Amino acid sequence: MPSGLPASEPTPASVLADGGAALSETQAERVREILRAYPVAVDLGERFQAAGFTLALVGGSVRDALLGRLGNDLDFTTDARPKEILKLVKGWGEAVWDVGIAFGTVGVRKHDLQIEITTYRSELYDRNSRKPEVTFGDTIEEDLVRRDFTVNAMAVRLPQVEFVDPHHGLADLAEGVLRTPGTPEASFSDDPLRMLRAARFAAQLDFEVAPEVVTAMTEMADRIDIVSAERIQAELNKLLLSAHPRKGLTLLVDTGLAARVLPELPALRLERDEHHRHKDVYEHSLTVLEQAIDLESTGEGDGKPDLTLRLAALLHDIGKPRTRRFEDGGGVSFHHHELVGAKMTKKRLRELKYSNELIADVSRLVELHLRFHGYGTGEWTDSAVRRYVRDAGPLLDRLHKLTRSDCTTRNKKKAAALARSYDGLEQRIGQLQEQEELDSIRPDLNGDQIMRLLGIKPGREVGEAYTFLLELRLEHGPMGEEAAAEALRTWWAERQG
């Protein structure tokens, strides 16, 4: 038996609140399993008990244990105040941090576990404030009632291993439904971000959201406006990186929340004309996202969720509503929607406080996502292939995946033809990469050689000469230093003449 477990394991089946439901033997075994896997949990419980405090494993840690999903993050709640928590974990944990101490949270690293211990608390937002007001409580029941959803409002008291479920989270977990411990209106008023969390958990857990919760999300969507962009971004990231992002995104659109945090998404629900001359861009974008996810383990991917690729897939067509034109003869066009979409992507991601690097990468993929469609049946020159690789740069593998994902036609013959055409382009890229090191295309002469050859000093003219040689390299492939030098001399003489 691992150290830290009680000598006689109790069955965690007692319910400490009226109306709760007892654990099944399978569920009880799953709770015991997490404690066997992480004996430090019981060890920590004994440490707090010896100091006269209570401690319980809580929230997502309990939920995931009951779902049979063990992770490396453990959340605890206690009646000890933050300074008392610090005293108890210093010397016990290998590292301690207190960046969340103003909100009652102390972080600890023990072995390979990331542990957070939070004082019982309640929090609510002033109607015009972006920051929650936190007050500390004295009982676990006070703490659990302020949790976002019932499936996150279960706890296991330690070290005695007693199951606490005052809000029937166990029943909701079995049913696969998200409900709030109190009324959803009160919950979302306390912290409006919980509306986004509902969509995120639906996507992560593949759960349904209770009708009364959906109603409250719809009626209170404007409350999300007081939440900071950073917190909104964090929830969107978790949703997008989940196993079922379509589910969460659809909920955000249907409730009107997306119109406030990602308005470009519902805008894709273009009004279809009476002749149904164009596809639903919104549904197309969600399908592209799902198809991109399916390709994450191919190419250079490691199978892990790729936020850059997923954002690009979701946003690749957001320029279409602004560029839609009804043409003579009944057609619909979206000329230059990739360029418009790239600008819109930059603007939206900046407002959501994404990093400059991610903004640049996602907007670049949006800008390039149509480039392949000029390839036709393979008539691109080697020069065009080189430019395609040069323009994609380190995003080439993601561009491959985005471009392939962008085919959502139900016409199997057309889809197969597009796939064959892109197979051909990738083969040509591979052949040229073997011959020319396409990943690092540069002129045959460097800056120092250019200055020596032309007898000039550093300045604008060196950059112009370098650009001239780079264009030659892209057009003709490797030339060699002698041929490049001759071409440069001719170019320079014409400039001087």
Side-chain angles (χ1 to χ4, degrees):
M1 180 180 299
S3 63
L5 277 180
S8 175
E9 286 186 24
T11 299
S14 60
V15 179
L16 302 187
D18 292 340
L23 291 171
S24 70
E25 180 52 38
T26 297
Q27 292 164 334
E29 175 56 27
R30 284 178 175 171
V31 172
R32 288 195 293 266
E33 180 183 348
I34 194 171
L35 299 178
R36 281 195 293 269
Y38 306 129
V40 295
V42 176
D43 181 30
L44 191 61
E46 291 172 342
R47 192 176 185 87
F48 274 69
Q49 185 181 62
F53 299 110
T54 62
L55 184 78
L57 190 66
V58 71
S61 299
V62 177
R63 179 199 68 223
D64 288 346
L66 292 170
L67 290 172
R69 301 164 14 152
L70 296 179
N72 289 327
D73 296 332
L74 297 179
D75 293 328
F76 296 88
T77 188
T78 179
D79 58 349
R81 294 318 194 234
K83 289 183 179 179
E84 294 163 334
I85 298 173
L86 278 174
K87 291 179 183 177
L88 286 167
V89 296
K90 281 185 176 178
W92 178 83
E94 291 146 17
V96 176
W97 56 94
D98 60 3
V99 291
I101 200 165
F103 299 99
T105 299
V106 173
V108 187
R109 187 177 74 245
K110 182 74 169 179
H111 307 319
D112 59 346
L113 297 176
Q114 300 295 324
I115 294 170
E116 287 194 347
I117 308 168
T118 303
T119 302
Y120 298 150
R121 68 187 186 189
S122 62
E123 61 189 34
L124 56 86
Y125 277 77
D126 180 271
R127 186 153 192 92
N128 300 310
S129 173
R130 288 175 178 264
K131 295 182 179 180
E133 298 175 7
V134 175
T135 58
F136 297 134
D138 296 309
T139 70
I140 194 168
E141 287 77 14
E142 287 179 276
D143 184 82
L144 294 179
V145 74
R146 65 96 187 169
R147 300 273 167 171
D148 51 8
F149 302 104
T150 60
V151 296
N152 295 329
M154 299 178 286
V156 178
R157 289 185 187 273
L158 298 169
Q160 62 269 45
V161 195
E162 292 177 321
F163 183 62
V164 187
D165 182 21
H167 302 290
H168 313 284
L170 189 61
D172 289 340
L173 193 70
E175 190 180 339
V177 66
L178 292 171
R179 292 190 177 91
T180 54
T183 67
E185 291 80 8
S187 181
F188 298 154
S189 181
D190 285 349
D191 185 355
L193 187 70
R194 290 172 177 171
M195 295 186 286
L196 293 192
R197 287 169 65 85
R200 189 250 288 187
F201 282 123
Q204 284 183 328
L205 303 174
D206 197 18
F207 277 20
E208 300 303 319
V209 180
E212 69 274 13
V213 176
V214 175
T215 297
M217 292 169 67
T218 305
E219 294 176 349
M220 301 178 67
D222 64 329
R223 284 283 287 149
I224 201 67
D225 294 348
I226 72 166
V227 180
S228 69
E230 290 85 355
R231 295 184 77 210
I232 289 172
Q233 182 217 114
E235 285 302 320
L236 287 176
N237 289 349
K238 292 173 184 176
L239 190 161
L240 284 170
L241 295 173
S242 71
H244 308 278
R246 174 191 281 265
K247 193 164 196 170
L249 292 168
T250 300
L251 182 60
L252 292 182
V253 171
D254 289 347
T255 57
L257 281 161
R260 311 194 80 89
V261 301
L262 194 63
E264 294 79 7
L265 184 58
L268 293 176
R269 283 180 160 173
L270 297 174
E271 290 185 18
R272 298 183 64 165
D273 63 282
E274 66 273 18
H275 301 296
H276 299 281
R277 290 188 294 242
H278 60 277
K279 70 180 78 174
D280 185 329
V281 185
Y282 169 73
E283 283 297 325
H284 163 75
S285 297
L286 293 181
T287 301
V288 172
L289 171 60
E290 291 175 324
Q291 293 184 165
I293 291 171
D294 290 340
L295 293 177
E296 284 178 333
S297 60
T298 65
E300 298 174 6
D302 55 8
K304 294 180 180 179
D306 183 340
L307 182 62
T308 299
L309 177 62
R310 293 189 184 197
L311 278 168
L314 183 65
L315 302 176
H316 77 284
D317 273 348
I318 61 172
K320 280 191 170 180
R322 291 190 183 178
T323 57
R324 180 174 59 160
R325 299 289 182 272
F326 293 100
E327 308 290 351
D328 294 339
V332 180
S333 68
F334 303 97
H335 295 309
H336 305 303
H337 77 267
E338 73 282 12
L339 301 179
V340 172
K343 291 180 180 178
M344 293 172 65
T345 296
K346 287 181 182 178
K347 182 175 184 294
R348 176 54 52 198
L349 296 185
R350 283 196 193 106
E351 291 184 1
L352 288 170
K353 307 296 185 182
Y354 281 95
S355 69
N356 290 335
E357 180 181 4
L358 185 138
I359 292 171
D361 287 349
V362 175
S363 59
R364 186 63 166 162
L365 287 169
V366 171
E367 180 183 346
L368 293 175
H369 83 271
L370 279 187
R371 183 74 65 86
F372 160 72
H373 294 284
Y375 187 69
T377 56
E379 41 300 298
W380 274 8
T381 62
D382 284 352
S383 171
V385 175
R386 292 187 195 102
R387 293 175 191 277
Y388 186 80
V389 174
R390 189 272 309 269
D391 291 347
L395 298 171
L396 182 61
D397 183 66
R398 287 183 173 121
L399 183 58
H400 288 333
K401 294 169 184 175
L402 177 60
T403 303
R404 288 185 180 277
S405 302
D406 197 22
C407 177
T408 61
T409 179
R410 295 180 181 178
N411 184 321
K412 294 183 179 180
K413 187 174 181 180
K414 182 178 179 181
L418 283 169
R420 285 195 301 272
S421 185
Y422 205 84
D423 287 343
L425 175 58
E426 286 203 57
Q427 288 171 3
R428 288 185 63 189
I429 289 172
Q431 292 167 356
L432 284 174
Q433 282 175 326
E434 289 182 4
Q435 299 166 13
E436 305 179 15
E437 297 183 0
L438 289 188
D439 293 337
S440 55
I441 293 178
R442 55 178 58 88
D444 293 275
L445 302 175
N446 62 32
D448 290 337
Q449 291 171 307
I450 291 171
M451 288 187 288
R452 285 198 300 271
L453 189 68
L454 301 181
I456 59 177
K457 294 181 178 180
R460 177 175 53 83
E461 291 176 327
V462 177
E464 292 172 352
Y466 189 92
T467 300
F468 166 74
L469 290 174
L470 178 59
E471 286 299 312
L472 285 182
R473 170 72 172 78
L474 288 166
E475 190 67 30
H476 303 293
M479 300 174 61
E481 291 185 10
E482 186 174 335
E486 183 177 345
L488 182 62
R489 290 191 189 95
T490 302
W491 172 81
W492 184 250
E494 292 173 353
R495 277 177 58 102
Q496 302 305 306

